[in-house]
Amino acid sequence: MIKQIKNNFLIKNTIILISANILIKILSLVNRIIITRSLGTNGISLYVMILPTIMLLLTISGFSLNISVSRIIATNQKTNKYPLITIIKKACLIGIYSTLISLIIFSLTLKFISVNLLKQENAFIPLLLSMTIIPFANLNSIFRGVFNGLDNVKTSSLSTLLEQIARIGFSVVLFVIFYDKDLVFTVTITIIAMTLGEIASVIYNLISIRKLLKNTPFINLTKEEKINTKELNKEIINLSLSQTLTHLATNIALFLEPICYNYALTLNNFTNDEIMYRYSEVNAYALPLLTMFTFISFSIGTVILPQISKNKYSEKAKSLTALAIKLSFIPSIILSILLYFYSDKYMYFLYNKTTGSTFVKYSSFIYMFFYLIPIINSILISHNKEKSVLKISIGTNIIKIALIIALSFIKSITYKSLIYAIIISNIIYLIITFIYLYNILKFKIKLKDLITLSLIFISTYYVVYLFKYYNVNFIISSILSSIIYLIIIKLSNIASFNNK
């Protein structure tokens, strides 16, 4: 088996990414517990209210250079059309321009966003300091795109791991030192820690890039190479623009989420404090628990993208697609079952309160299928279907925003409109993209595998049910159930490494 893993790029690289992300998740979870418990409801509510704005800024300024650079370098390994150092230099130059433009626009609109849209004057200072994250995050994005394009996921993973360790370390230290400060200051600490984490990662990436380009001379380009460089600029910009527009559809929707939710519930006579609490109930407590293992799907998608870019519409692309879809269910099945039976236990264990646990319980099985979304997106992107993904994303996000407002006026739903809108829009998005992907590739998932996955789900469900029925401690139950689940996976051969 070890030999098979070494010879299988997908399994090998995915294991590297997943291993790094497991460490990141564990450390991030500890950090999140400390912050959530210490900030309290008001503090974490403010944090989750400003986070969509920060993510929107990162998306615009980042210009999706990580994906475009990864794809260009992956393709360039076959064609050798551009020198590697030229690709990096051009990407960095475009990144500088996008950073400067974004920061200027954001600085001019920051006050309006804080006071008039979010209706939170306390959000101004944390959002102002979030501007320091941008240049370092953009550099890291480009460097990781380089390493992913070269199939060097180890360096890319270590870069992310270092960023998270530094962020968590600085966050904890700063929070302990300034524990008795006011709400705005303590929320701002999390922003400062994010910047310091990005700086640590930039230093590591610069060292790694220097080693990579150690024997690459900074040559003067010929006239023909200069023409190719202009083509490279266009290629980077075109790819980045389409990717950014796709991401913007999601990030603008996330940005509008708290604004529309606030507006709708205000019309339903909810107080500002109630709105903040209900919003954090979903975004600070329920969703993080439901999406705990989505990093595995993102890891698979990140590894697949460069490889499928080299083998578009081929049998290899079809087999990789089927394998990736199958692998995405491995973590989601056990997580959904455990959350269904022990959502309140997990929530109290992590955050010392059961806020959002009801949402988690009744959404857990639906979210099991949402683990497919990152993989489907990556495969569609690798087949140059960015425009189609963009159209679908825009449509479903419009539906989500509309549902947030419309459902809030139904008496039996009101404040639950946010979670309902998120679930419904994700279901629509998943169905449309899955059918679209199938029509493109005509990939096959064996009936045997579908039956096996169903039997694995049913058997694991009843294992956890029995532990719950006999009042076994939820931690012991979770550990034993996971061990039994892994044994079932092994015996079923559903995660076989034989797919080359």
Side-chain angles (χ1 to χ4, degrees):
M1 181 179 290
I2 293 175
K3 185 177 180 181
Q4 289 175 331
I5 292 174
K6 287 182 178 179
N7 293 331
N8 191 310
F9 82 89
L10 176 62
I11 302 300
K12 181 181 176 182
N13 287 347
T14 302
I15 287 174
I16 292 172
L17 279 170
I18 291 174
S19 299
N21 278 306
I22 286 174
L23 292 175
I24 292 168
K25 275 291 179 179
I26 293 172
L27 294 171
S28 298
L29 184 60
V30 173
N31 183 53
R32 189 177 186 86
I33 292 169
I34 294 172
I35 291 176
T36 304
R37 288 191 176 199
S38 300
L39 289 181
T41 302
N42 290 334
I44 197 65
S45 296
L46 177 60
Y47 178 72
V48 296
M49 287 283 280
I50 66 173
L51 199 56
T53 304
I54 296 173
M55 296 307 296
L56 179 62
L57 177 59
L58 286 169
T59 298
I60 295 172
S61 62
F63 203 47
S64 299
L65 288 170
N66 59 328
I67 296 176
S68 59
V69 168
S70 175
R71 288 182 61 184
I72 289 171
I73 290 178
T75 304
N76 195 64
Q77 284 185 284
K78 282 188 174 182
T79 62
N80 291 316
K81 188 176 182 180
Y82 311 113
L84 178 60
I85 191 169
T86 303
I87 298 174
I88 297 173
K89 286 168 67 177
K90 290 299 179 182
C92 288
L93 185 61
I94 293 171
I96 291 171
Y97 287 134
S98 66
T99 298
L100 290 174
I101 293 170
S102 301
L103 290 179
I104 291 170
I105 294 173
F106 188 65
S107 62
L108 295 174
T109 58
L110 179 57
K111 192 71 176 179
F112 176 78
I113 292 172
S114 303
V115 178
N116 298 92
L117 296 182
L118 296 176
K119 300 186 184 302
Q120 293 291 327
E121 292 186 7
N122 288 338
F124 179 78
I125 298 299
L127 285 176
L128 179 64
L129 284 177
S130 70
M131 294 170 67
T132 60
I133 304 171
I134 306 307
F136 304 108
N138 288 351
L139 277 175
N140 282 325
S141 178
I142 293 168
F143 293 150
R144 289 168 190 162
V146 172
F147 294 125
N148 286 331
L150 295 171
D151 290 335
N152 186 358
V153 295
K154 181 179 178 180
T155 301
S156 179
S157 297
L158 287 175
S159 167
T160 307
L161 181 61
L162 178 62
E163 176 202 331
Q164 293 296 331
I165 291 173
R167 179 188 298 183
I168 292 163
F170 284 121
S171 179
V172 172
V173 170
L174 291 172
F175 196 80
V176 169
I177 294 173
F178 300 106
Y179 181 79
D180 59 343
K181 298 297 180 179
D182 61 29
L183 177 66
V184 175
F185 192 93
T186 51
V187 172
T188 302
I189 284 174
T190 62
I191 307 301
I192 296 172
M194 289 172 68
T195 302
L196 294 174
E198 294 286 355
I199 291 173
S201 184
V202 165
I203 294 171
Y204 172 79
N205 280 325
L206 285 172
I207 295 171
S208 300
I209 287 289
R210 185 178 179 183
K211 290 180 180 178
L212 179 67
L213 301 176
K214 188 175 182 180
N215 299 318
T216 304
F218 286 77
I219 56 175
N220 293 321
L221 300 176
T222 63
K223 288 184 178 180
E224 184 178 349
E225 288 172 329
K226 287 180 179 179
I227 294 173
N228 285 342
T229 298
K230 292 180 180 179
E231 292 178 6
L232 175 60
N233 282 335
K234 291 181 181 178
E235 193 173 348
I236 293 175
I237 291 172
N238 288 336
L239 284 172
S240 297
L241 184 60
S242 61
Q243 283 300 303
T244 301
L245 289 173
T246 302
H247 291 152
L248 273 178
T250 300
N251 282 281
I252 289 175
L254 290 174
F255 172 70
L256 292 174
E257 240 182 44
I259 297 170
C260 294
Y261 190 64
N262 196 315
Y263 170 77
L265 293 193
T266 299
L267 293 179
N268 280 280
N269 299 318
F270 280 74
T271 65
N272 191 51
D273 288 342
E274 287 177 316
I275 295 171
M276 291 281 284
Y277 173 77
R278 294 303 180 185
Y279 187 78
S280 65
E281 188 176 19
V282 174
N283 283 287
Y285 296 98
L287 289 184
L289 205 55
L290 286 165
T291 58
M292 187 182 296
F293 289 158
T294 49
F295 69 90
I296 297 178
S297 294
F298 280 105
S299 298
I300 296 171
T302 301
V303 173
I304 278 179
L305 194 148
Q307 294 299 325
I308 293 187
S309 293
K310 300 175 188 176
N311 301 279
K312 298 174 184 176
Y313 302 101
S314 66
E315 289 300 319
K316 185 175 182 179
K318 294 178 183 180
S319 63
L320 286 174
T321 299
L323 177 61
I325 289 173
K326 189 170 64 174
L327 290 175
S328 72
F329 280 103
I330 304 303
S332 63
I333 287 175
I334 183 64
L335 179 65
S336 64
I337 293 171
L338 289 174
L339 290 180
Y340 177 77
F341 285 105
Y342 299 116
S343 59
D344 55 337
K345 302 288 186 183
Y346 279 117
M347 197 69 76
Y348 190 82
F349 176 74
L350 295 176
Y351 304 119
N352 202 32
K353 56 180 67 178
T354 58
T355 304
S357 60
T358 303
F359 289 149
V360 172
K361 179 175 181 177
Y362 294 108
S363 305
S364 58
F365 293 143
I366 298 174
Y367 264 83
M368 177 175 66
F369 295 96
F370 294 166
Y371 277 59
L372 287 169
I373 291 175
I375 291 173
I376 292 174
N377 283 342
S378 292
I379 298 171
L380 287 174
I381 288 167
S382 66
H383 284 84
N384 301 320
K385 300 299 180 182
E386 295 92 343
K387 291 183 179 179
S388 299
V389 172
L390 173 61
K391 292 176 183 178
I392 298 169
S393 183
I394 291 174
T396 52
N397 278 302
I398 290 173
I399 291 172
K400 181 176 75 170
I401 296 300
L403 287 173
I404 288 175
I405 298 173
L407 293 177
S408 67
F409 294 99
I410 299 175
K411 290 184 179 180
S412 59
I413 297 177
T414 58
Y415 68 87
K416 298 175 187 176
S417 65
L418 178 59
I419 190 70
Y420 281 15
I422 291 172
I423 290 173
I424 293 171
S425 60
N426 275 331
I427 290 173
I428 295 172
Y429 183 88
L430 177 60
I431 292 172
I432 294 173
T433 52
F434 185 87
I435 293 173
Y436 184 52
L437 179 62
Y438 178 79
N439 288 334
I440 291 171
L441 287 183
K442 302 295 182 183
F443 62 90
K444 294 181 180 179
I445 299 177
K446 296 178 181 178
L447 178 61
K448 177 185 174 182
D449 288 337
L450 294 176
I451 294 173
T452 301
L453 284 170
S454 300
L455 292 175
I456 289 171
F457 175 86
I458 294 169
S459 58
T460 307
Y461 178 92
Y462 280 105
V463 167
V464 181
Y465 172 80
L466 287 174
F467 284 130
K468 175 84 170 179
Y469 181 80
Y470 287 105
N471 295 318
V472 178
N473 179 274
F474 82 98
I475 295 178
I476 296 174
S477 173
S478 299
I479 294 172
L480 293 177
S481 299
S482 298
I483 293 172
I484 295 171
Y485 177 72
L486 291 174
I487 293 172
I488 295 172
I489 293 293
K490 174 64 178 175
L491 294 174
S492 69
N493 207 34
I494 194 70
S496 172
F497 294 154
N498 292 328
N499 190 328
K500 295 181 180 180

